[in-house]
Amino acid sequence: MEGYLSRLRTPRPPPAGGRRTRRLSVLSPRTAAGQVFLVQTIIVVLLVVAAVACIMLQAARDAVRQGRRESVVAAQTFASAPGVSLALRSPDPTAVLQPRAEQARKRSGMDFIVVMSTDGIRYTYPYPAEIGKKFVGTIEPALHGRTVVEQAGGPPLPAGKGTAIQAVVPVTDTRGRIVGLVSAGITVTNVARLWMPQLPIVLGVGAIMLVLAAAGTTAVSRRLLRQTHGLAPAELGRLYEHHQAVLHAVREGVLITDEDRRLLLANDEAKRLLGLPADAQGRHVRELGLPEQMARLLASPEEVTDEVYLANDRLLAVNKRPTFPEAGHAGSVVTLRDTTELAVVSGRAEVALGQLKLLYEAGMRIGTTLDVERTAQELADVAVPRFADVVAVDLLDSVVRGSEPTTEGWRRLRRTAISGDQRMLPVYRLGEVITFSPETPQMLALEQSRGVLEADLRQARSWQEQDPERARKALELGLHSLVTMPLRARGVPLGLAHFYRREGSPAFEPEDVAFAEELGARAAVAIDNARRFTREHAMTVTLQRSLLPRGQPEQDALEVAWRYLPSEAGVGGDWFDVIPLPGGRVALVMGDVVGHGLHASATMGRLRTAVHNFATLDLPVDEVLGKLDDLVIRLDDEDDSGSTPDDQDGVGVTGATCLYAIYDPVTGICSMARAGHPGPVVVNPDGTVVCPEVPASPPFGLGGYPFEAADVHLAEGSQLILYTDGLVKNSARDIDAGLGALREALGGAGAGAGERTPEETCRAVIGALKPARLSDDIALLAARTRRVPSSSVAEWDVPSDTAVVPSVRAECRTVLSGWGLEETAFTTELILSELVTNAIRYGSPPVKVRLLLGRTLICEVSDGSSTSPRLRRAATTDEGGRGLFLVAQFAQRWGTRYASPGKVIWAEQILHDGASGPADHTPVDDLLEQFGDPLM
């Protein structure tokens, strides 16, 4: 501003136009005229280049079009000439047609006329050396009576190199048969000769245009230099920018008067401060209706510096200086600055700055976790004491539970957070369920979706009527002002935030409501994110737990206990299972699916179901993992096919891990295989902790890698510990440290560790290794082994002769009598005799029989054949085929499992107080009759 005023006071003498003209060239690139001329020159050159290119392209197209037309005419003319068809049938067509073709070529201006057979063999050519060779070009359409015109290249031509345009036409005899072909062609060369004559014209026009552009630009530039007194365009632009900035952009009033004290100029701010009329310019300052003191100041020639004058209830700081005093001008320039609002503006700026800082801090402090109640408490804490003295947050009860909020739940809110001196807020305590009346500020805020201000709570009747006794206590304790703000996210209300101020703090103003809305909006998004996470986490945990085992299956081989702890960040895909198998064996499974969320849980359920199905087939442990690997690859292929949404969390199954083990209580051997999963840990009966060597294989989904199994002998009373990596690895420790901590927790009691129950083992491990914050799921399975006593196992070899079946039944009767199962003897003998008979007839030696007594009675017959029997329907006239049907009817379950070598056919009977099977079995004769019934 001062620099601009000094320029107004000190006139700048106009520079001599002649000297500036001599110093700077009119068409210099530094001047606007030179830049315009440069642009015009570029445009003219581009136009000339474009014109030449168009002429060349047009000439080339015309030459090609003319060549196509002339080649067709020449070929058709020669093909239709008398004697051509007869010459083609002569013994030596070349001797007859070569002279005629060359004569016609030279006369027509063609580069070649080729006569050829229907096989494309040349009879004529400008160069005799090429006669007899295959014609280069397309002849098939001509053999069907059509004319072919194409661009091609072939042997050398008299015209030299170029684009050859050739036409191929058929030659027909008097009967209309095609006896040969004629091709005529011309080489399109020297295209430049078609446009070179026009080039001087184009260049001449371009030169004339450049001269005219230079002359016009020079004339305009000289006139501009004279009118601007030699100022360059950049100087003119800067001068105009300074003028606009001073007069209109600054928050100061500017008045310029002439020597007669008439107003020459007044910017917008001066008009506003002094209330000048629209036609003030050109009028005397005494005629503007200004206060006497201000009018006298403007009319006087004296200088003024920072004097304060009253005008229209405003205190104005005035500065006045003369304009161009050296040149004899008596005008003046006056600047006005409003100091009335300075203090107010400064105070508001400080308040606004404080609010901005508070909003920034709120963005950093609110939403640090995905817990609804914690997020609400963060909102309350961040607003105290810099915005309010006491803050309370009430959320819809459904929001606290993670459910979707509805309007039906508005009347039921739960006090979720309180910050500040709670003694000042005796209305409702933390955790109370509140039902607001329809006329209260809180309900109005919810219904109107906006903040409600109660500047003076002593006058807020509806607020007091909600709970008169508690409201009276709050007023006595000094609360006097309230802002109630709805917390809304995605257009849905989540609850309310109440901001209170007490005595000693100013009452809330309307501007505070806007700030509270901004603060509440930021907090509402964080609360809604936490609510949605709570809902998804609850749904995922429910799904996860529904897919995991709900109870222990009935089996005698293992005493089992487990723990599953979902992560706080989102439920993952950790899973485990205990699956009873035939022969009293039990399969233990521990797996981990990559990712978190519903997709991981659903994938875990699919893998668990697949394991159950594969276990039913009674496959070896390594084969089960191989089939799971194939399943994972198929699942990933389905996801890659595009059927899975792009934003699906955790898409992809590759990387899933699993450990599969089968324990046989008869032999005490546990077969194990693992796919990328942590190895098992065994606690021996004496308390020592060992880690069996189970070969490590890659995780599922990689394909092409075999899985290796290992057999581990477990003493009776040993504990087999299976777990997922979330137990031994987290952000605080690596996996090696975690495994060390696990071994220490399992063997911490010394010899007493072997006497723990699986439940006590799980409790000790989780207590020692569970981190403060679960960033990953934890699954733990502890199984203590049992052995089937030798007194409950009976087995013997059977000769491969059906005549020994009665002795097998007798041996079975003796064993059952020793076990006190005489009532099951008949059924068991029937099952065993049928299985032994099938093994002798259709199997191969050796044949063995084994009876196992436990919760159930299991009959097993093994042979050396791998052929599996199947249940089939026998016709009435068939002598056999009903054995397996009888076994299926009398046994609870039956099946086949493969061994090395051969197979084992087993049948299981449930024992009921010494009896096997249900009492309502159909008699054998009735069953056989029904089996032959054609209606079955």
Side-chain angles (χ1 to χ4, degrees):
M1 176 64 74
E2 293 297 332
Y4 182 76
L5 294 180
S6 64
R7 179 177 293 180
L8 292 177
R9 293 193 299 270
T10 305
R12 176 179 178 179
R19 288 197 305 272
R20 177 174 291 275
T21 303
R22 287 193 298 271
R23 274 198 315 272
L24 294 177
S25 173
V26 174
L27 298 182
S28 173
R30 298 181 180 180
T31 64
Q35 295 171 1
V36 171
F37 177 72
L38 180 60
V39 173
Q40 291 176 341
T41 302
I42 295 173
I43 293 175
V44 170
V45 171
L46 292 177
L47 290 176
V48 171
V49 173
V52 173
C54 291
I55 292 173
M56 292 175 63
L57 292 175
Q58 185 62 37
R61 284 197 296 268
D62 292 344
V64 171
R65 190 180 302 112
Q66 183 178 356
R68 292 170 64 92
R69 183 170 58 252
E70 291 178 357
S71 61
V72 171
V73 171
Q76 291 179 345
T77 302
F78 191 85
S80 302
V84 174
S85 60
L86 294 176
L88 288 171
R89 294 182 178 181
S90 64
D92 189 3
T94 302
V96 178
L97 295 176
Q98 175 69 6
R100 296 176 61 182
E102 285 300 299
Q103 184 181 3
R105 178 181 68 81
K106 296 175 181 179
R107 190 169 54 247
S108 62
M110 292 288 104
D111 290 327
F112 66 88
I113 294 179
V114 178
V115 182
M116 70 195 84
S117 67
T118 56
D119 295 329
I121 304 301
R122 299 192 190 98
Y123 292 143
T124 67
Y125 201 78
Y127 295 121
E130 301 295 330
I131 296 175
K133 296 181 179 180
K134 189 73 173 181
F135 175 74
V136 179
T138 304
I139 64 173
E140 284 77 9
L143 294 176
H144 294 84
R146 296 194 295 274
T147 298
V148 180
V149 181
E150 62 180 350
Q151 292 179 255
L157 295 173
K161 296 181 179 179
T163 302
I165 307 298
Q166 63 184 21
V168 182
V169 300
V171 180
T172 59
D173 59 6
T174 57
R175 295 182 180 181
R177 294 177 298 181
I178 298 175
V179 296
L181 303 173
V182 174
S183 174
I186 184 171
T187 303
V188 182
T189 59
N190 298 325
V191 177
R193 60 186 174 81
L194 299 176
W195 57 270
M196 282 296 291
Q198 304 180 39
L199 183 59
I201 300 175
V202 175
L203 295 178
V205 172
I208 293 173
M209 293 173 62
L210 286 175
V211 172
L212 292 177
T217 304
T218 302
V220 172
S221 178
R222 291 183 181 277
R223 184 170 182 178
L224 286 174
L225 288 174
R226 286 195 302 271
Q227 292 180 348
T228 58
H229 302 287
L231 291 176
E235 293 178 331
L236 288 173
R238 285 195 297 270
L239 183 61
Y240 178 77
E241 291 173 357
H242 294 169
H243 178 271
Q244 289 295 106
V246 171
L247 294 183
H248 302 289
V250 300
R251 290 298 303 271
E252 289 190 4
V254 178
L255 298 173
I256 299 177
T257 60
D258 60 9
E259 56 187 4
D260 297 330
R261 302 300 180 241
R262 292 185 178 276
L263 185 63
L264 296 180
L265 183 144
N267 68 348
D268 297 338
E269 185 68 11
K271 293 177 181 179
R272 186 184 69 84
L273 294 176
L274 298 178
L276 298 178
D279 59 346
Q281 188 170 342
R283 297 170 60 181
H284 196 278
V285 294
R286 294 284 187 178
E287 300 173 0
L288 300 178
L290 300 175
E292 178 61 26
Q293 187 180 14
M294 181 61 66
R296 186 169 57 252
L297 171 65
L298 296 178
S300 66
E302 62 182 2
E303 296 184 11
V304 174
T305 301
D306 288 336
E307 293 190 6
V308 179
Y309 292 85
L310 180 63
N312 298 332
D313 298 329
R314 295 178 182 274
L315 295 177
L316 303 180
V318 181
N319 287 274
K320 181 181 178 184
R321 294 292 185 273
T323 58
F324 306 121
E326 296 84 353
H329 299 287
S332 60
V333 56
V334 180
T335 60
L336 310 172
R337 185 173 66 253
D338 189 359
T339 60
T340 306
E341 299 178 354
L342 184 59
V344 177
V345 171
S346 299
R348 290 181 178 178
E350 292 179 1
V351 173
L353 181 60
Q355 291 180 348
L356 286 176
K357 291 182 179 179
L358 183 57
L359 286 177
Y360 174 78
E361 184 178 344
M364 301 296 293
R365 292 176 54 185
I366 298 177
T368 58
T369 66
L370 288 174
D371 181 80
V372 174
E373 296 182 0
R374 177 59 185 167
T375 305
Q377 188 62 49
E378 290 171 346
L379 167 61
D381 292 340
V382 80
V384 176
R386 294 162 60 181
F387 179 68
D389 297 317
V390 179
V391 177
V393 179
D394 301 333
L395 297 180
L396 274 65
D397 205 29
S398 58
V399 173
V400 178
R401 298 192 306 269
S403 304
E404 193 71 25
T406 59
T407 55
E408 289 77 6
W410 285 6
R411 298 287 298 275
R412 184 178 177 84
L413 291 92
R414 184 177 297 276
R415 178 131 300 174
T416 310
I418 300 176
S419 184
D421 190 353
Q422 298 191 24
R423 295 176 302 173
M424 305 293 297
L425 193 64
V427 182
Y428 295 101
R429 295 299 178 186
L430 197 64
E432 281 192 63
V433 176
I434 308 169
T435 302
F436 289 108
S437 302
E439 300 300 326
T440 58
Q442 291 83 353
M443 285 303 297
L444 291 177
L446 281 176
E447 293 174 355
Q448 299 175 6
S449 300
R450 62 177 180 84
V452 175
L453 170 64
E454 293 290 351
D456 188 356
L457 290 177
R458 289 181 291 271
Q459 307 298 325
R461 299 302 178 189
S462 58
W463 176 78
Q464 297 179 19
E465 291 173 358
Q466 167 70 22
D467 194 330
E469 181 61 25
R470 293 185 178 182
R472 182 184 61 80
K473 293 181 179 179
L475 294 175
E476 291 177 354
L477 292 173
L479 295 182
H480 69 92
S481 189
L482 165 68
V483 170
T484 295
M485 185 59 53
L487 301 175
R488 296 174 59 85
R490 297 179 294 110
V492 178
L494 307 176
L496 292 166
H498 316 295
F499 303 93
Y500 292 90
R501 285 184 180 174
R502 60 182 180 181
E503 293 181 355
S505 299
F508 285 114
E509 298 180 356
E511 292 80 2
D512 296 321
V513 178
F515 173 78
E517 289 178 348
E518 179 67 22
L519 186 62
R522 298 192 179 197
V525 173
I527 292 174
D528 187 57
N529 289 339
R531 177 197 64 79
R532 297 173 69 179
F533 172 79
T534 301
R535 180 185 62 180
E536 180 180 347
H537 189 269
M539 292 171 57
T540 310
V541 169
T542 302
L543 174 62
Q544 179 88 334
R545 294 192 181 279
S546 67
L547 295 176
L548 293 174
R550 298 188 179 182
Q552 296 192 14
E554 294 184 356
Q555 47 86 25
D556 297 325
L558 297 169
E559 180 185 354
V560 182
W562 58 67
R563 290 289 188 277
Y564 171 73
L565 304 177
S567 73
E568 298 176 5
V571 178
D574 292 10
W575 59 285
F576 56 89
D577 214 336
V578 180
I579 307 173
L581 297 178
R585 299 166 303 140
V586 176
L588 300 177
V589 193
M590 180 66 68
D592 188 358
V593 177
V594 295
H596 294 82
L598 291 174
H599 179 79
S601 298
T603 303
M604 176 272 292
R606 299 168 76 175
L607 292 182
R608 180 170 179 254
T609 302
V611 169
H612 270 273
N613 294 332
F614 295 146
T616 302
L617 300 177
D618 213 343
L619 301 175
V621 292
D622 54 342
E623 291 188 22
V624 171
L625 295 186
K627 292 186 177 298
L628 286 176
D629 186 45
D630 295 338
L631 174 63
V632 167
I633 293 175
R634 289 198 301 272
L635 293 177
D636 274 343
D637 290 341
E638 292 176 2
D639 292 341
D640 294 339
S641 65
S643 59
T644 304
D646 294 338
D647 57 349
Q648 180 70 53
D649 176 36
V651 170
V653 193
T654 297
T657 65
C658 181
L659 189 151
Y660 186 70
I662 297 179
Y663 173 69
D664 189 346
V666 177
T667 62
I669 294 177
C670 182
S671 298
M672 292 181 281
R674 60 190 178 111
H677 201 82
V681 179
V682 175
V683 181
N684 293 319
D686 59 358
T688 58
V689 179
V690 296
C691 296
E693 291 293 334
V694 180
S697 300
F700 292 142
L702 301 181
Y705 295 94
F707 297 94
E708 299 182 49
D711 292 337
V712 179
H713 185 274
L714 299 178
E716 185 174 11
S718 301
Q719 289 199 35
L720 179 64
I721 311 299
L722 307 182
Y723 55 92
T724 56
D725 58 356
L727 179 68
V728 296
K729 183 178 68 174
N730 53 50
S731 58
R733 60 170 177 255
D734 57 16
I735 190 169
D736 293 333
L739 289 174
L742 175 61
R743 289 191 292 267
E744 183 179 352
L746 291 173
E755 300 176 358
R756 290 174 178 165
T757 64
E759 183 67 28
E760 292 173 344
T761 299
C762 289
R763 189 181 306 117
V765 170
I766 294 299
L769 275 73
K770 178 183 176 182
R773 184 179 183 276
L774 289 175
S775 58
D776 193 6
D777 292 12
I778 292 177
L780 174 65
L781 178 66
R784 184 159 63 182
T785 60
R786 298 170 179 161
R787 295 289 296 273
V788 177
S790 57
S791 59
S792 298
V793 180
E795 56 182 342
W796 63 93
D797 296 331
V798 177
S800 297
D801 186 0
T802 56
V804 302
V805 174
S807 63
V808 172
R809 289 199 298 266
E811 182 71 21
C812 174
R813 190 180 311 113
T814 302
V815 172
L816 295 180
S817 177
W819 289 345
L821 301 177
E822 292 84 355
E823 296 182 2
T824 65
F826 175 77
T827 304
T828 306
E829 290 177 31
L830 177 62
I831 293 174
L832 194 59
S833 63
E834 293 296 339
L835 295 181
V836 170
T837 301
N838 284 340
I840 294 174
R841 287 182 177 179
Y842 308 111
S844 59
V847 179
K848 295 183 178 181
V849 173
R850 186 171 75 169
L851 299 179
L852 298 177
L853 177 61
R855 293 176 182 267
T856 60
L857 178 62
I858 301 174
C859 300
E860 295 181 349
V861 177
S862 62
D863 65 84
S865 172
S866 59
T867 303
S868 176
R870 61 185 180 87
L871 185 65
R872 67 182 182 89
R873 175 180 176 181
T876 306
T877 58
D878 289 346
E879 295 182 0
R882 296 177 177 83
L884 289 179
F885 177 76
L886 293 175
V887 172
Q889 290 294 319
F890 282 96
Q892 180 69 21
R893 295 186 304 160
W894 76 279
T896 303
R897 74 174 186 270
Y898 294 94
S900 178
K903 64 178 180 298
V904 177
I905 305 175
W906 56 271
E908 182 178 326
Q909 303 175 72
I910 297 179
L911 301 178
H912 298 280
D913 298 330
S916 70
D920 57 349
H921 270 316
T922 306
V924 177
D925 294 338
D926 294 342
L927 288 173
L928 293 176
E929 292 177 1
Q930 293 177 10
F931 193 81
D933 190 349
L935 297 178
M936 289 187 62

